[in-house]
Amino acid sequence: MSAADPRHWGQVPVFDPQSGQVVVEPTGSGKGYWVGAPGVYYDVESATFYLTYRVRRPRGVEPDRGAEIHIARSSDGIQFEEIWVGRKEELNTTSIERCVIARSDSGAWRLYVSYVDPEDARWRTDVTEANAPDAFKLADCRPVLTPAQLGVEGVKDPFLFRVGGMLHMIVSFATADQSASHDELHGTHDAYNTGLIRSRTGLATSVDGQTWNWEGEIFGPSESGWDCYCARIGSVWRQDGLWIGYYDGSADVSENYEERVGLVCGSDLHSLKRMTPDGPLMIQPNASGALRYFDVVALEDRTLIYYETAREDGSHDLRVFVAPAV
């Protein structure tokens, strides 16, 4: 259908992933050298973009896995300058994954952090506060959502937004797919990479950003499709009276870390439907085809789409594609 069709609502940007502009380069060449998992916050008061992203290296290359989380600042959403770095040693963790920065009503800055709990080896999500976006201390993190609290095997990768003043947080959470011991699930400090779980999308809500109410699953893996192992929504936005979202999908554990992008749509967050049952929405021809961790900032004059994607050598970089306003 044409983009001008007056009865085709909820059309989303579909583009060549190679055409996006590289925002951050990986630290090395080859599989396991990944930058990405972007979380983007646009501060209306200062007209400034704040970007969080994870830096990862292969296992065995110190500091390996998700060793660092960075915060960068930009006036145009394309060219960023780094202003802060947090390292996994500050949390005594084996890995940090997607984080997100936001400003509270009081003016304080908050960083929501997902990382592997050093006590039980399960992914969890915490928050830390600071008076400036370059002043966070990871050692001050306190729990927001934990696996023990939710009765799941991991909870991570927050995406934050407001609806009518109420804070909403979309997260990835893992549930056991078969009977398995704690060591089988968490011995490697990454249950998502065992093949023993299913990766789902859940929702939590909060009035103050500190205490969160778990509303449960809002989107899950398909029964037998290209996304039957992982269905992780990375971002949502409002368009034509609908909720639209990009999600990461994979068929089995062999595609963990190398997910591809799908599309969801619904009239509310509890009735999201997959719009891509037969295959990914967009194709990245490089290496594994990884195209994941989308974050969308829809402004009045343009839409900025951030994502992590595979390069020819198997590494991942972080890119932005600028599309027309939605």
Side-chain angles (χ1 to χ4, degrees), residues 84-120:
W84 180 86
V85 180
R87 294 178 171 82
K88 65 180 183 179
E89 291 81 9
E90 299 169 60
L91 290 165
N92 191 31
T93 184
T94 50
S95 191
I96 305 174
E97 196 50 91
R98 191 191 206 188
C99 304
V100 64
I101 187 174
R103 200 173 191 177
S104 69
D105 290 337
S106 68
W109 290 86
R110 290 176 180 154
L111 181 66
Y112 293 85
V113 183
S114 61
Y115 67 100
V116 177
D117 191 327
E119 296 297 322
D120 68 4

PDB file of all heavy atoms in Angstrom, residues 84-120:
ATOM      1  N   TRP A  84      29.971   9.874  30.485  1.00  0.00           N
ATOM      2  CA  TRP A  84      30.048   9.035  31.697  1.00  0.00           C
ATOM      3  C   TRP A  84      30.244   7.584  31.287  1.00  0.00           C
ATOM      4  O   TRP A  84      29.756   7.150  30.242  1.00  0.00           O
ATOM      5  CB  TRP A  84      28.754   9.166  32.493  1.00  0.00           C
ATOM      6  CG  TRP A  84      28.685   8.376  33.758  1.00  0.00           C
ATOM      7  CD1 TRP A  84      29.136   8.749  34.995  1.00  0.00           C
ATOM      8  CD2 TRP A  84      28.104   7.063  33.927  1.00  0.00           C
ATOM      9  NE1 TRP A  84      28.875   7.752  35.922  1.00  0.00           N
ATOM     10  CE2 TRP A  84      28.244   6.710  35.285  1.00  0.00           C
ATOM     11  CE3 TRP A  84      27.492   6.170  33.056  1.00  0.00           C
ATOM     12  CZ2 TRP A  84      27.778   5.498  35.798  1.00  0.00           C
ATOM     13  CZ3 TRP A  84      27.030   4.959  33.548  1.00  0.00           C
ATOM     14  CH2 TRP A  84      27.184   4.638  34.915  1.00  0.00           C
ATOM     15  N   VAL A  85      30.988   6.835  32.124  1.00  0.00           N
ATOM     16  CA  VAL A  85      31.181   5.402  31.922  1.00  0.00           C
ATOM     17  C   VAL A  85      30.998   4.690  33.253  1.00  0.00           C
ATOM     18  O   VAL A  85      31.564   5.107  34.272  1.00  0.00           O
ATOM     19  CB  VAL A  85      32.583   5.083  31.363  1.00  0.00           C
ATOM     20  CG1 VAL A  85      32.732   3.564  31.164  1.00  0.00           C
ATOM     21  CG2 VAL A  85      32.825   5.805  30.047  1.00  0.00           C
ATOM     22  N   GLY A  86      30.212   3.628  33.259  1.00  0.00           N
ATOM     23  CA  GLY A  86      30.083   2.760  34.426  1.00  0.00           C
ATOM     24  C   GLY A  86      30.622   1.385  34.086  1.00  0.00           C
ATOM     25  O   GLY A  86      30.406   0.885  32.971  1.00  0.00           O
ATOM     26  N   ARG A  87      31.332   0.771  35.022  1.00  0.00           N
ATOM     27  CA  ARG A  87      31.974  -0.519  34.765  1.00  0.00           C
ATOM     28  C   ARG A  87      31.386  -1.604  35.666  1.00  0.00           C
ATOM     29  O   ARG A  87      30.974  -1.340  36.794  1.00  0.00           O
ATOM     30  CB  ARG A  87      33.479  -0.397  34.946  1.00  0.00           C
ATOM     31  CG  ARG A  87      34.108   0.528  33.900  1.00  0.00           C
ATOM     32  CD  ARG A  87      35.606   0.715  34.073  1.00  0.00           C
ATOM     33  NE  ARG A  87      36.167   1.432  32.933  1.00  0.00           N
ATOM     34  CZ  ARG A  87      36.136   2.758  32.792  1.00  0.00           C
ATOM     35  NH1 ARG A  87      35.579   3.510  33.742  1.00  0.00           N
ATOM     36  NH2 ARG A  87      36.651   3.338  31.716  1.00  0.00           N
ATOM     37  N   LYS A  88      31.399  -2.821  35.159  1.00  0.00           N
ATOM     38  CA  LYS A  88      30.728  -3.914  35.854  1.00  0.00           C
ATOM     39  C   LYS A  88      31.336  -4.197  37.227  1.00  0.00           C
ATOM     40  O   LYS A  88      30.656  -4.712  38.113  1.00  0.00           O
ATOM     41  CB  LYS A  88      30.721  -5.172  34.998  1.00  0.00           C
ATOM     42  CG  LYS A  88      32.082  -5.793  34.714  1.00  0.00           C
ATOM     43  CD  LYS A  88      31.923  -7.046  33.857  1.00  0.00           C
ATOM     44  CE  LYS A  88      33.236  -7.750  33.594  1.00  0.00           C
ATOM     45  NZ  LYS A  88      33.058  -8.980  32.790  1.00  0.00           N
ATOM     46  N   GLU A  89      32.615  -3.862  37.418  1.00  0.00           N
ATOM     47  CA  GLU A  89      33.255  -4.083  38.716  1.00  0.00           C
ATOM     48  C   GLU A  89      32.557  -3.302  39.829  1.00  0.00           C
ATOM     49  O   GLU A  89      32.569  -3.704  40.994  1.00  0.00           O
ATOM     50  CB  GLU A  89      34.731  -3.690  38.653  1.00  0.00           C
ATOM     51  CG  GLU A  89      35.594  -4.597  37.806  1.00  0.00           C
ATOM     52  CD  GLU A  89      35.499  -4.298  36.322  1.00  0.00           C
ATOM     53  OE1 GLU A  89      34.888  -3.255  35.957  1.00  0.00           O
ATOM     54  OE2 GLU A  89      36.034  -5.087  35.517  1.00  0.00           O
ATOM     55  N   GLU A  90      31.951  -2.178  39.470  1.00  0.00           N
ATOM     56  CA  GLU A  90      31.256  -1.365  40.469  1.00  0.00           C
ATOM     57  C   GLU A  90      30.027  -2.071  41.031  1.00  0.00           C
ATOM     58  O   GLU A  90      29.541  -1.730  42.119  1.00  0.00           O
ATOM     59  CB  GLU A  90      30.866  -0.024  39.853  1.00  0.00           C
ATOM     60  CG  GLU A  90      32.053   0.803  39.373  1.00  0.00           C
ATOM     61  CD  GLU A  90      31.619   1.994  38.547  1.00  0.00           C
ATOM     62  OE1 GLU A  90      30.876   2.846  39.095  1.00  0.00           O
ATOM     63  OE2 GLU A  90      31.997   2.086  37.366  1.00  0.00           O
ATOM     64  N   LEU A  91      29.508  -3.045  40.284  1.00  0.00           N
ATOM     65  CA  LEU A  91      28.359  -3.832  40.728  1.00  0.00           C
ATOM     66  C   LEU A  91      28.771  -5.248  41.125  1.00  0.00           C
ATOM     67  O   LEU A  91      27.920  -6.061  41.475  1.00  0.00           O
ATOM     68  CB  LEU A  91      27.316  -3.905  39.610  1.00  0.00           C
ATOM     69  CG  LEU A  91      26.570  -2.608  39.294  1.00  0.00           C
ATOM     70  CD1 LEU A  91      25.845  -2.719  37.963  1.00  0.00           C
ATOM     71  CD2 LEU A  91      25.592  -2.266  40.409  1.00  0.00           C
ATOM     72  N   ASN A  92      30.060  -5.549  41.023  1.00  0.00           N
ATOM     73  CA  ASN A  92      30.568  -6.900  41.282  1.00  0.00           C
ATOM     74  C   ASN A  92      29.817  -7.924  40.438  1.00  0.00           C
ATOM     75  O   ASN A  92      29.497  -9.027  40.899  1.00  0.00           O
ATOM     76  CB  ASN A  92      30.445  -7.245  42.770  1.00  0.00           C
ATOM     77  CG  ASN A  92      31.203  -8.522  43.124  1.00  0.00           C
ATOM     78  OD1 ASN A  92      32.228  -8.841  42.501  1.00  0.00           O
ATOM     79  ND2 ASN A  92      30.709  -9.254  44.102  1.00  0.00           N
ATOM     80  N   THR A  93      29.523  -7.556  39.193  1.00  0.00           N
ATOM     81  CA  THR A  93      28.738  -8.409  38.316  1.00  0.00           C
ATOM     82  C   THR A  93      29.573  -8.939  37.162  1.00  0.00           C
ATOM     83  O   THR A  93      30.631  -8.379  36.841  1.00  0.00           O
ATOM     84  CB  THR A  93      27.526  -7.641  37.750  1.00  0.00           C
ATOM     85  OG1 THR A  93      26.727  -8.527  36.964  1.00  0.00           O
ATOM     86  CG2 THR A  93      27.964  -6.477  36.864  1.00  0.00           C
ATOM     87  N   THR A  94      29.079  -9.990  36.520  1.00  0.00           N
ATOM     88  CA  THR A  94      29.768 -10.542  35.354  1.00  0.00           C
ATOM     89  C   THR A  94      29.349  -9.851  34.068  1.00  0.00           C
ATOM     90  O   THR A  94      30.053  -9.959  33.053  1.00  0.00           O
ATOM     91  CB  THR A  94      29.486 -12.051  35.217  1.00  0.00           C
ATOM     92  OG1 THR A  94      28.068 -12.269  35.302  1.00  0.00           O
ATOM     93  CG2 THR A  94      30.185 -12.832  36.317  1.00  0.00           C
ATOM     94  N   SER A  95      28.213  -9.140  34.082  1.00  0.00           N
ATOM     95  CA  SER A  95      27.776  -8.488  32.849  1.00  0.00           C
ATOM     96  C   SER A  95      26.687  -7.461  33.108  1.00  0.00           C
ATOM     97  O   SER A  95      25.824  -7.656  33.970  1.00  0.00           O
ATOM     98  CB  SER A  95      27.260  -9.525  31.843  1.00  0.00           C
ATOM     99  OG  SER A  95      27.076  -8.962  30.571  1.00  0.00           O
ATOM    100  N   ILE A  96      26.757  -6.374  32.345  1.00  0.00           N
ATOM    101  CA  ILE A  96      25.714  -5.348  32.311  1.00  0.00           C
ATOM    102  C   ILE A  96      25.074  -5.396  30.928  1.00  0.00           C
ATOM    103  O   ILE A  96      25.754  -5.590  29.930  1.00  0.00           O
ATOM    104  CB  ILE A  96      26.289  -3.940  32.552  1.00  0.00           C
ATOM    105  CG1 ILE A  96      27.079  -3.888  33.868  1.00  0.00           C
ATOM    106  CG2 ILE A  96      25.176  -2.894  32.571  1.00  0.00           C
ATOM    107  CD1 ILE A  96      27.794  -2.567  34.088  1.00  0.00           C
ATOM    108  N   GLU A  97      23.762  -5.190  30.868  1.00  0.00           N
ATOM    109  CA  GLU A  97      23.092  -5.168  29.566  1.00  0.00           C
ATOM    110  C   GLU A  97      22.403  -3.828  29.399  1.00  0.00           C
ATOM    111  O   GLU A  97      22.867  -2.822  29.915  1.00  0.00           O
ATOM    112  CB  GLU A  97      22.138  -6.369  29.459  1.00  0.00           C
ATOM    113  CG  GLU A  97      21.663  -6.713  28.057  1.00  0.00           C
ATOM    114  CD  GLU A  97      22.784  -6.823  27.022  1.00  0.00           C
ATOM    115  OE1 GLU A  97      23.332  -7.904  26.803  1.00  0.00           O
ATOM    116  OE2 GLU A  97      23.064  -5.785  26.387  1.00  0.00           O
ATOM    117  N   ARG A  98      21.303  -3.800  28.687  1.00  0.00           N
ATOM    118  CA  ARG A  98      20.662  -2.528  28.352  1.00  0.00           C
ATOM    119  C   ARG A  98      20.279  -1.732  29.601  1.00  0.00           C
ATOM    120  O   ARG A  98      19.731  -2.281  30.561  1.00  0.00           O
ATOM    121  CB  ARG A  98      19.410  -2.776  27.520  1.00  0.00           C
ATOM    122  CG  ARG A  98      18.837  -1.502  26.921  1.00  0.00           C
ATOM    123  CD  ARG A  98      17.474  -1.723  26.325  1.00  0.00           C
ATOM    124  NE  ARG A  98      17.181  -0.759  25.273  1.00  0.00           N
ATOM    125  CZ  ARG A  98      16.000  -0.634  24.695  1.00  0.00           C
ATOM    126  NH1 ARG A  98      15.016  -1.427  25.065  1.00  0.00           N
ATOM    127  NH2 ARG A  98      15.802   0.252  23.741  1.00  0.00           N
ATOM    128  N   CYS A  99      20.537  -0.439  29.547  1.00  0.00           N
ATOM    129  CA  CYS A  99      20.160   0.496  30.602  1.00  0.00           C
ATOM    130  C   CYS A  99      19.392   1.652  29.969  1.00  0.00           C
ATOM    131  O   CYS A  99      19.404   1.818  28.745  1.00  0.00           O
ATOM    132  CB  CYS A  99      21.398   1.027  31.323  1.00  0.00           C
ATOM    133  SG  CYS A  99      22.469  -0.250  32.036  1.00  0.00           S
ATOM    134  N   VAL A 100      18.756   2.465  30.805  1.00  0.00           N
ATOM    135  CA  VAL A 100      18.025   3.619  30.281  1.00  0.00           C
ATOM    136  C   VAL A 100      18.108   4.763  31.277  1.00  0.00           C
ATOM    137  O   VAL A 100      18.041   4.554  32.496  1.00  0.00           O
ATOM    138  CB  VAL A 100      16.559   3.250  29.969  1.00  0.00           C
ATOM    139  CG1 VAL A 100      15.795   2.869  31.229  1.00  0.00           C
ATOM    140  CG2 VAL A 100      15.866   4.372  29.221  1.00  0.00           C
ATOM    141  N   ILE A 101      18.282   5.967  30.748  1.00  0.00           N
ATOM    142  CA  ILE A 101      18.370   7.162  31.576  1.00  0.00           C
ATOM    143  C   ILE A 101      17.086   7.963  31.421  1.00  0.00           C
ATOM    144  O   ILE A 101      16.461   7.967  30.357  1.00  0.00           O
ATOM    145  CB  ILE A 101      19.605   8.010  31.169  1.00  0.00           C
ATOM    146  CG1 ILE A 101      19.814   9.185  32.143  1.00  0.00           C
ATOM    147  CG2 ILE A 101      19.493   8.500  29.739  1.00  0.00           C
ATOM    148  CD1 ILE A 101      21.082   9.970  31.876  1.00  0.00           C
ATOM    149  N   ALA A 102      16.667   8.644  32.492  1.00  0.00           N
ATOM    150  CA  ALA A 102      15.476   9.487  32.448  1.00  0.00           C
ATOM    151  C   ALA A 102      15.579  10.536  33.546  1.00  0.00           C
ATOM    152  O   ALA A 102      16.349  10.386  34.506  1.00  0.00           O
ATOM    153  CB  ALA A 102      14.207   8.656  32.630  1.00  0.00           C
ATOM    154  N   ARG A 103      14.801  11.583  33.392  1.00  0.00           N
ATOM    155  CA  ARG A 103      14.758  12.663  34.379  1.00  0.00           C
ATOM    156  C   ARG A 103      13.429  12.601  35.115  1.00  0.00           C
ATOM    157  O   ARG A 103      12.365  12.474  34.495  1.00  0.00           O
ATOM    158  CB  ARG A 103      14.915  14.010  33.675  1.00  0.00           C
ATOM    159  CG  ARG A 103      15.369  15.138  34.569  1.00  0.00           C
ATOM    160  CD  ARG A 103      15.662  16.367  33.734  1.00  0.00           C
ATOM    161  NE  ARG A 103      16.346  17.384  34.506  1.00  0.00           N
ATOM    162  CZ  ARG A 103      16.766  18.543  33.994  1.00  0.00           C
ATOM    163  NH1 ARG A 103      16.572  18.801  32.705  1.00  0.00           N
ATOM    164  NH2 ARG A 103      17.377  19.430  34.758  1.00  0.00           N
ATOM    165  N   SER A 104      13.485  12.711  36.448  1.00  0.00           N
ATOM    166  CA  SER A 104      12.265  12.625  37.250  1.00  0.00           C
ATOM    167  C   SER A 104      11.576  13.986  37.318  1.00  0.00           C
ATOM    168  O   SER A 104      12.134  15.021  36.924  1.00  0.00           O
ATOM    169  CB  SER A 104      12.609  12.151  38.663  1.00  0.00           C
ATOM    170  OG  SER A 104      13.326  13.161  39.358  1.00  0.00           O
ATOM    171  N   ASP A 105      10.364  14.009  37.848  1.00  0.00           N
ATOM    172  CA  ASP A 105       9.621  15.262  37.985  1.00  0.00           C
ATOM    173  C   ASP A 105      10.340  16.254  38.887  1.00  0.00           C
ATOM    174  O   ASP A 105      10.200  17.464  38.723  1.00  0.00           O
ATOM    175  CB  ASP A 105       8.224  14.981  38.547  1.00  0.00           C
ATOM    176  CG  ASP A 105       7.328  14.272  37.546  1.00  0.00           C
ATOM    177  OD1 ASP A 105       7.596  14.382  36.331  1.00  0.00           O
ATOM    178  OD2 ASP A 105       6.374  13.593  37.970  1.00  0.00           O
ATOM    179  N   SER A 106      11.122  15.737  39.828  1.00  0.00           N
ATOM    180  CA  SER A 106      11.852  16.611  40.749  1.00  0.00           C
ATOM    181  C   SER A 106      13.107  17.205  40.120  1.00  0.00           C
ATOM    182  O   SER A 106      13.741  18.084  40.700  1.00  0.00           O
ATOM    183  CB  SER A 106      12.253  15.812  42.001  1.00  0.00           C
ATOM    184  OG  SER A 106      13.226  14.831  41.668  1.00  0.00           O
ATOM    185  N   GLY A 107      13.470  16.716  38.945  1.00  0.00           N
ATOM    186  CA  GLY A 107      14.684  17.192  38.285  1.00  0.00           C
ATOM    187  C   GLY A 107      15.857  16.269  38.460  1.00  0.00           C
ATOM    188  O   GLY A 107      16.887  16.430  37.786  1.00  0.00           O
ATOM    189  N   ALA A 108      15.743  15.288  39.365  1.00  0.00           N
ATOM    190  CA  ALA A 108      16.830  14.326  39.573  1.00  0.00           C
ATOM    191  C   ALA A 108      16.931  13.406  38.353  1.00  0.00           C
ATOM    192  O   ALA A 108      15.935  13.121  37.687  1.00  0.00           O
ATOM    193  CB  ALA A 108      16.584  13.511  40.835  1.00  0.00           C
ATOM    194  N   TRP A 109      18.134  12.923  38.090  1.00  0.00           N
ATOM    195  CA  TRP A 109      18.366  12.001  36.985  1.00  0.00           C
ATOM    196  C   TRP A 109      18.393  10.580  37.515  1.00  0.00           C
ATOM    197  O   TRP A 109      18.906  10.325  38.604  1.00  0.00           O
ATOM    198  CB  TRP A 109      19.677  12.325  36.273  1.00  0.00           C
ATOM    199  CG  TRP A 109      19.601  13.603  35.495  1.00  0.00           C
ATOM    200  CD1 TRP A 109      19.829  14.867  35.966  1.00  0.00           C
ATOM    201  CD2 TRP A 109      19.240  13.750  34.122  1.00  0.00           C
ATOM    202  NE1 TRP A 109      19.640  15.788  34.976  1.00  0.00           N
ATOM    203  CE2 TRP A 109      19.282  15.129  33.823  1.00  0.00           C
ATOM    204  CE3 TRP A 109      18.897  12.845  33.126  1.00  0.00           C
ATOM    205  CZ2 TRP A 109      18.982  15.620  32.558  1.00  0.00           C
ATOM    206  CZ3 TRP A 109      18.601  13.339  31.862  1.00  0.00           C
ATOM    207  CH2 TRP A 109      18.640  14.705  31.585  1.00  0.00           C
ATOM    208  N   ARG A 110      17.828   9.669  36.742  1.00  0.00           N
ATOM    209  CA  ARG A 110      17.806   8.262  37.129  1.00  0.00           C
ATOM    210  C   ARG A 110      18.383   7.404  36.018  1.00  0.00           C
ATOM    211  O   ARG A 110      18.152   7.670  34.838  1.00  0.00           O
ATOM    212  CB  ARG A 110      16.375   7.802  37.439  1.00  0.00           C
ATOM    213  CG  ARG A 110      15.803   8.410  38.714  1.00  0.00           C
ATOM    214  CD  ARG A 110      14.365   8.012  38.932  1.00  0.00           C
ATOM    215  NE  ARG A 110      13.852   8.604  40.169  1.00  0.00           N
ATOM    216  CZ  ARG A 110      12.575   8.862  40.387  1.00  0.00           C
ATOM    217  NH1 ARG A 110      11.668   8.581  39.457  1.00  0.00           N
ATOM    218  NH2 ARG A 110      12.183   9.382  41.539  1.00  0.00           N
ATOM    219  N   LEU A 111      19.117   6.391  36.426  1.00  0.00           N
ATOM    220  CA  LEU A 111      19.647   5.401  35.490  1.00  0.00           C
ATOM    221  C   LEU A 111      19.131   4.038  35.914  1.00  0.00           C
ATOM    222  O   LEU A 111      19.409   3.571  37.030  1.00  0.00           O
ATOM    223  CB  LEU A 111      21.180   5.420  35.509  1.00  0.00           C
ATOM    224  CG  LEU A 111      21.876   4.450  34.552  1.00  0.00           C
ATOM    225  CD1 LEU A 111      21.597   4.830  33.103  1.00  0.00           C
ATOM    226  CD2 LEU A 111      23.381   4.413  34.817  1.00  0.00           C
ATOM    227  N   TYR A 112      18.349   3.408  35.038  1.00  0.00           N
ATOM    228  CA  TYR A 112      17.838   2.063  35.289  1.00  0.00           C
ATOM    229  C   TYR A 112      18.807   1.082  34.639  1.00  0.00           C
ATOM    230  O   TYR A 112      19.099   1.176  33.443  1.00  0.00           O
ATOM    231  CB  TYR A 112      16.428   1.920  34.726  1.00  0.00           C
ATOM    232  CG  TYR A 112      15.419   2.787  35.462  1.00  0.00           C
ATOM    233  CD1 TYR A 112      15.237   4.124  35.117  1.00  0.00           C
ATOM    234  CD2 TYR A 112      14.676   2.268  36.520  1.00  0.00           C
ATOM    235  CE1 TYR A 112      14.340   4.926  35.807  1.00  0.00           C
ATOM    236  CE2 TYR A 112      13.770   3.062  37.217  1.00  0.00           C
ATOM    237  CZ  TYR A 112      13.606   4.393  36.852  1.00  0.00           C
ATOM    238  OH  TYR A 112      12.712   5.187  37.547  1.00  0.00           O
ATOM    239  N   VAL A 113      19.312   0.153  35.437  1.00  0.00           N
ATOM    240  CA  VAL A 113      20.440  -0.696  35.052  1.00  0.00           C
ATOM    241  C   VAL A 113      20.038  -2.161  35.101  1.00  0.00           C
ATOM    242  O   VAL A 113      19.501  -2.628  36.108  1.00  0.00           O
ATOM    243  CB  VAL A 113      21.636  -0.475  36.012  1.00  0.00           C
ATOM    244  CG1 VAL A 113      22.841  -1.292  35.583  1.00  0.00           C
ATOM    245  CG2 VAL A 113      21.985   1.008  36.106  1.00  0.00           C
ATOM    246  N   SER A 114      20.315  -2.909  34.030  1.00  0.00           N
ATOM    247  CA  SER A 114      20.113  -4.363  34.087  1.00  0.00           C
ATOM    248  C   SER A 114      21.476  -5.045  34.113  1.00  0.00           C
ATOM    249  O   SER A 114      22.370  -4.695  33.334  1.00  0.00           O
ATOM    250  CB  SER A 114      19.262  -4.865  32.919  1.00  0.00           C
ATOM    251  OG  SER A 114      19.844  -4.615  31.671  1.00  0.00           O
ATOM    252  N   TYR A 115      21.608  -6.001  35.034  1.00  0.00           N
ATOM    253  CA  TYR A 115      22.896  -6.672  35.232  1.00  0.00           C
ATOM    254  C   TYR A 115      22.664  -8.021  35.907  1.00  0.00           C
ATOM    255  O   TYR A 115      21.590  -8.298  36.435  1.00  0.00           O
ATOM    256  CB  TYR A 115      23.834  -5.803  36.066  1.00  0.00           C
ATOM    257  CG  TYR A 115      23.418  -5.597  37.507  1.00  0.00           C
ATOM    258  CD1 TYR A 115      24.002  -6.346  38.535  1.00  0.00           C
ATOM    259  CD2 TYR A 115      22.451  -4.657  37.853  1.00  0.00           C
ATOM    260  CE1 TYR A 115      23.632  -6.155  39.855  1.00  0.00           C
ATOM    261  CE2 TYR A 115      22.074  -4.460  39.163  1.00  0.00           C
ATOM    262  CZ  TYR A 115      22.666  -5.216  40.169  1.00  0.00           C
ATOM    263  OH  TYR A 115      22.292  -5.032  41.481  1.00  0.00           O
ATOM    264  N   VAL A 116      23.700  -8.845  35.877  1.00  0.00           N
ATOM    265  CA  VAL A 116      23.630 -10.164  36.508  1.00  0.00           C
ATOM    266  C   VAL A 116      23.890 -10.020  38.008  1.00  0.00           C
ATOM    267  O   VAL A 116      24.944  -9.509  38.415  1.00  0.00           O
ATOM    268  CB  VAL A 116      24.651 -11.131  35.881  1.00  0.00           C
ATOM    269  CG1 VAL A 116      24.611 -12.478  36.603  1.00  0.00           C
ATOM    270  CG2 VAL A 116      24.371 -11.323  34.398  1.00  0.00           C
ATOM    271  N   ASP A 117      22.947 -10.470  38.805  1.00  0.00           N
ATOM    272  CA  ASP A 117      23.081 -10.407  40.260  1.00  0.00           C
ATOM    273  C   ASP A 117      24.236 -11.297  40.708  1.00  0.00           C
ATOM    274  O   ASP A 117      24.244 -12.498  40.422  1.00  0.00           O
ATOM    275  CB  ASP A 117      21.778 -10.887  40.908  1.00  0.00           C
ATOM    276  CG  ASP A 117      21.703 -10.616  42.395  1.00  0.00           C
ATOM    277  OD1 ASP A 117      22.757 -10.659  43.059  1.00  0.00           O
ATOM    278  OD2 ASP A 117      20.593 -10.371  42.889  1.00  0.00           O
ATOM    279  N   PRO A 118      25.234 -10.751  41.402  1.00  0.00           N
ATOM    280  CA  PRO A 118      26.358 -11.573  41.840  1.00  0.00           C
ATOM    281  C   PRO A 118      25.982 -12.626  42.871  1.00  0.00           C
ATOM    282  O   PRO A 118      26.715 -13.595  43.070  1.00  0.00           O
ATOM    283  CB  PRO A 118      27.334 -10.549  42.434  1.00  0.00           C
ATOM    284  CG  PRO A 118      26.491  -9.376  42.808  1.00  0.00           C
ATOM    285  CD  PRO A 118      25.401  -9.336  41.789  1.00  0.00           C
ATOM    286  N   GLU A 119      24.810 -12.481  43.504  1.00  0.00           N
ATOM    287  CA  GLU A 119      24.398 -13.424  44.529  1.00  0.00           C
ATOM    288  C   GLU A 119      23.759 -14.686  43.948  1.00  0.00           C
ATOM    289  O   GLU A 119      24.066 -15.797  44.387  1.00  0.00           O
ATOM    290  CB  GLU A 119      23.415 -12.746  45.495  1.00  0.00           C
ATOM    291  CG  GLU A 119      24.010 -11.595  46.273  1.00  0.00           C
ATOM    292  CD  GLU A 119      25.151 -12.031  47.176  1.00  0.00           C
ATOM    293  OE1 GLU A 119      25.062 -13.134  47.762  1.00  0.00           O
ATOM    294  OE2 GLU A 119      26.146 -11.272  47.287  1.00  0.00           O
ATOM    295  N   ASP A 120      22.869 -14.538  42.966  1.00  0.00           N
ATOM    296  CA  ASP A 120      22.177 -15.723  42.445  1.00  0.00           C
ATOM    297  C   ASP A 120      22.347 -15.925  40.942  1.00  0.00           C
ATOM    298  O   ASP A 120      21.746 -16.826  40.364  1.00  0.00           O
ATOM    299  CB  ASP A 120      20.694 -15.687  42.810  1.00  0.00           C
ATOM    300  CG  ASP A 120      19.914 -14.590  42.095  1.00  0.00           C
ATOM    301  OD1 ASP A 120      20.496 -13.882  41.247  1.00  0.00           O
ATOM    302  OD2 ASP A 120      18.709 -14.445  42.371  1.00  0.00           O
TER     303      ASP A 120
END
